[in-house]
Amino acid sequence: MTMKKIVCLLVLIITFTGCESFLDRTDPTATSFTEFFNDEDDLRRVTYSSFYDVFTHHSNRRSLLYMLDGRSDNAYARDFSDHHQAIANGTLNASSLGIEYYYSIYMKHVGRLNTYIASIDEPYVEDEDIRTRYENILKGLRMWHYLRLTFYWGDVPFMLEPADLDDARQPAMPKEEILETIFPMAEEIADQLPVDEYTSNKYMFNQMSLKAVIMRYALYHERFELAARLAKEIMDSGNYSLHPNYGDLFQYDASSNNSEFIVHLDEESHSGSTTYSFRDLGPHFRTGNGQSYCVPLKSLVDSYWTLQGRPIENCPLHTKEEYELDPALNRDPRYQASIMGHGDEFYGESIDIYNRNNPMYYENQRASKSGYWFKKFVSENDAFRNGNMEYGLLRYAEVLLTYAEARIMMGDVDALAKDCINQVRERAGLDMSEADVTLPAFSSYGQEEWTGLIRNERRVEFAGEGLRYADIIRWRIAEEVLNQPALGHTREENGQMTSLKIEDRTFGPHQYKWPFPESSLKVNPGLKQNAGY
């Protein structure tokens, strides 16, 4: 096949692959795009599929939020085909199936979105406001793709129109040029969306939820002033608040009834009730379907500070060894809301990871190799069934901690930044007589101390929610935290502290950017491989 034919084929794939459900139209004779893109139902359908295929898929472990910590020092993902394991242990390269998957699906969806947006006037929709709303939601999704592409790959091809042959072969545009275009464009799009959340289809962007996504990536891309401004705008809107009980957000108690979720992965977003978080995260219990696909590591467990808000190695009440041997000892309540392990109870029975006759024995395939499991998104109600839990892709706590981090990085820790940290800590249940960051004990903090505090606050607040890998990449600490073995439960044997070892991990400086897949380099000679691959 000639290069020209390959590129033409790529353009067709980018534009139309993944549209199977959309193409299933009532008119079986439709042969062109304009023939099956007719009315408001079609606008809703393409918008739904554009969310679902990448952002709100309920069973794709390669992209589900609760699996993404398996890329980081927070967790271990045992199934190599999910791709997270290769990212965490440093074996990801240009020929990896994972790289091929992620790059191609993001670029494919950009192509689809470009086609939909360029044809937005084709359907007959009498109410122009409705057509404009769907157009802006689709533009917001396209922006989200480019913010992720530039974060992981840096310079990438940038197209806002349907691709022709020459466009498909264009060189990558510098990351900074893309961001200078995307951020103001994204804000303009958000300002045209409705302010309030929709009664139905609430997973679709409204003004504040799109601004929350922009805020996240403004922080990731070190646009700290923009991140702080957007965070404050979301706070000032009064549309969202912290839910009173942290743990209930990740259980049926509040997962579908709270004011904290801003971007939703709910039942409507995947057109069905079944979810699989117990299967993916839960333990193999009796005849249940728990598969322990992604499990916490010792590194995460030890990162939970004390009830008083101190690191476990800097607490006068107990030794670091005592804390390591008993993770529940005088600990931040978010630990017990988020993680369970050896010695804890599940379904009325004690967890014993060292009992060979127990399905939770750590060497069993469906058990946790670390001896820990996430409690977030794992309900005992789902032990013997598939669940229908809802998830928050971005929640209000992230807005608060984003404002605080942005102000810290700007060197101006104002009263609001401290209040944001305090709101999150107080809701978590810390002892605020000592953990309140406005107390004199914090008055001598410089940027280094504030940075250490906010980074750990993010780690434990969002453990198991898929943010850690992006954090260690943008903070440039992956070389430190991913160049050491992945360890699990710690116990004392013959007077010695020993931890379960799962795997060795490596991370080189070049891995702060992902490689382009070899197939894309062959098809597009204008694309240059990132250094080190």
Side-chain angles (χ1 to χ4, degrees):
M1 184 180 292
T2 66
M3 177 62 72
K4 184 175 181 179
K5 289 181 179 178
I6 291 173
V7 176
C8 288
L9 179 61
L10 175 68
V11 173
L12 290 173
I13 291 172
I14 285 176
T15 305
F16 292 113
T17 300
C19 302
E20 291 84 359
S21 60
F22 173 66
L23 291 170
D24 184 18
R25 295 289 295 120
T26 54
D27 181 3
T29 66
T31 58
S32 69
F33 185 82
T34 55
E35 286 182 284
F36 58 71
F37 196 44
N38 297 324
D39 54 27
E40 184 179 341
D41 281 344
D42 295 331
L43 284 176
R44 183 196 57 77
R45 189 177 292 108
V46 298
T47 306
Y48 163 79
S49 67
S50 296
F51 271 96
Y52 177 63
D53 288 351
V54 178
F55 299 100
T56 62
H57 201 294
H58 62 305
S59 63
N60 186 351
R61 293 197 305 272
R62 294 171 294 184
S63 58
L64 272 165
L65 80 160
Y66 57 67
M67 291 295 299
L68 301 185
D69 270 19
R71 303 173 175 181
S72 76
D73 56 333
N74 271 6
Y76 170 75
R78 72 172 179 84
D79 192 326
F80 188 80
S81 66
D82 292 340
H83 308 314
H84 310 303
Q85 185 186 130
I87 297 171
N89 64 26
T91 58
L92 194 75
N93 56 53
S95 61
S96 298
L97 291 176
I99 281 299
E100 175 76 33
Y101 173 77
Y102 291 114
Y103 185 73
S104 64
I105 198 170
Y106 296 163
M107 293 303 292
K108 174 187 74 177
H109 276 259
V110 166
R112 285 181 57 187
L113 289 164
N114 283 341
T115 301
Y116 296 153
I117 293 164
S119 307
I120 201 71
D121 291 328
E122 295 291 346
Y124 177 73
V125 179
E126 186 173 352
D127 190 334
E128 185 176 352
D129 288 343
I130 291 176
R131 186 171 63 250
T132 300
R133 176 167 67 88
Y134 281 115
E135 178 182 8
N136 285 323
I137 291 172
L138 292 171
K139 285 180 176 178
L141 285 170
R142 180 174 62 184
M143 174 273 301
W144 196 349
H145 278 304
Y146 274 121
L147 291 175
R148 297 206 300 189
L149 282 160
T150 50
F151 182 76
Y152 289 115
W153 281 276
D155 305 344
V156 295
F158 183 61
M159 295 167 283
L160 296 179
E161 300 291 339
D164 60 21
L165 179 60
D166 290 332
D167 289 333
R169 302 177 67 177
Q170 69 171 295
M173 182 180 287
K175 167 185 169 180
E176 291 304 313
E177 289 186 30
I178 297 173
L179 296 179
E180 287 301 312
T181 301
I182 284 290
F183 277 122
M185 179 186 295
E187 278 198 88
E188 183 179 346
I189 293 166
D191 283 333
Q192 297 178 55
L193 285 167
V195 174
D196 295 325
E197 195 169 84
Y198 313 118
T199 304
S200 61
N201 296 323
K202 65 182 180 181
Y203 64 92
M204 291 189 185
F205 288 138
N206 58 49
Q207 185 177 125
M208 289 300 141
S209 64
L210 181 52
K211 286 190 175 184
V213 172
I214 303 167
M215 173 207 73
R216 172 185 285 181
Y217 284 90
L219 185 71
Y220 283 10
H221 287 292
E222 299 185 344
R223 266 61 172 180
F224 298 123
E225 290 186 8
L226 175 59
R229 174 169 60 79
L230 290 173
K232 189 171 188 306
E233 188 174 340
I234 296 166
M235 286 187 271
D236 290 345
S237 75
N239 290 10
Y240 307 99
S241 61
L242 293 177
H243 187 72
N245 187 301
Y246 176 79
D248 286 354
L249 286 169
F250 318 105
Q251 300 293 327
Y252 287 107
D253 305 77
S255 64
S256 61
N257 182 28
N258 67 78
S259 298
E260 184 161 346
F261 291 176
I262 300 177
V263 181
H264 299 262
L265 200 170
D266 62 350
E267 191 170 317
E268 282 186 300
S269 71
H270 52 83
S271 190
S273 59
T274 301
T275 53
Y276 302 95
S277 54
F278 186 94
R279 178 201 68 185
D280 297 340
L281 303 176
H284 179 197
F285 179 75
R286 298 186 188 174
T287 59
N289 62 359
Q291 293 280 350
S292 309
Y293 281 124
C294 187
V295 296
L297 294 174
K298 170 181 167 61
S299 174
L300 173 60
V301 172
D302 291 347
S303 74
Y304 284 88
W305 288 0
T306 68
L307 184 64
Q308 297 76 28
R310 307 185 187 101
I312 62 171
E313 63 271 14
N314 187 29
C315 177
L317 303 178
H318 303 279
T319 66
K320 181 175 182 290
E321 289 74 19
E322 287 176 314
Y323 282 121
E324 288 184 89
L325 291 171
D326 184 1
L329 177 65
N330 185 44
R331 218 54 165 260
D332 184 326
R334 284 173 289 194
Y335 169 77
Q336 290 190 303
S338 305
I339 296 176
M340 59 184 175
H342 182 70
D344 292 329
E345 280 202 355
F346 180 79
Y347 221 87
E349 297 182 14
S350 180
I351 298 175
D352 185 353
I353 65 169
Y354 298 108
N355 181 354
R356 292 179 178 271
N357 297 317
N358 191 299
M360 295 191 199
Y361 177 57
Y362 74 94
E363 289 188 355
N364 289 344
Q365 180 182 4
R366 291 173 56 188
S368 168
K369 293 185 181 300
S370 72
Y372 293 105
W373 289 265
F374 284 110
K375 191 181 291 186
K376 281 183 175 179
F377 315 121
V378 174
S379 170
E380 292 186 0
N381 294 325
D382 296 339
F384 305 104
R385 67 173 193 183
N386 290 322
N388 60 348
M389 193 176 292
E390 299 183 1
Y391 317 119
L393 294 176
L394 195 158
R395 38 187 193 89
Y396 185 64
E398 186 176 344
V399 175
L400 298 177
L401 294 184
T402 294
Y403 181 85
E405 182 180 348
R407 299 300 301 189
I408 289 168
M409 298 312 295
M410 292 161 63
D412 182 15
V413 188
D414 61 10
L416 180 56
K418 295 177 182 179
D419 181 62
C420 287
I421 297 170
N422 277 344
Q423 287 185 56
V424 172
R425 288 186 147 197
E426 185 170 17
R427 188 275 297 273
L430 269 65
D431 178 356
M432 297 304 288
S433 68
E434 298 193 49
D436 182 341
V437 297
T438 64
L439 291 171
F442 297 89
S443 61
S444 63
Y445 271 33
Q447 189 174 55
E448 182 177 352
E449 290 83 5
W450 283 118
T451 298
L453 185 149
I454 196 66
R455 288 181 176 182
N456 204 75
E457 200 66 37
R458 278 183 64 93
R459 186 177 190 181
V460 298
E461 175 69 22
F462 305 120
E465 297 179 60
L467 301 188
R468 177 64 177 174
Y469 178 75
D471 282 350
I472 64 175
I473 293 297
R474 67 187 180 89
W475 293 332
R476 310 289 289 188
I477 63 170
E479 288 170 271
E480 171 191 345
V481 302
L482 288 181
N483 266 320
Q484 47 189 292
L487 302 177
H489 184 262
T490 300
R491 61 176 172 170
E492 189 173 6
E493 292 184 299
N494 301 319
Q496 298 292 319
M497 301 270 285
T498 61
S499 300
L500 299 177
K501 181 179 178 180
I502 302 171
E503 66 172 357
D504 289 312
R505 290 177 165 180
T506 60
F507 187 95
H510 65 286
Q511 291 175 302
Y512 284 108
K513 287 183 181 178
W514 285 3
F516 291 102
E518 291 177 349
S519 58
S520 296
L521 295 172
K522 291 175 182 176
V523 169
N524 183 3
L527 196 62
K528 304 300 180 185
Q529 184 59 280
N530 282 325
Y533 294 101

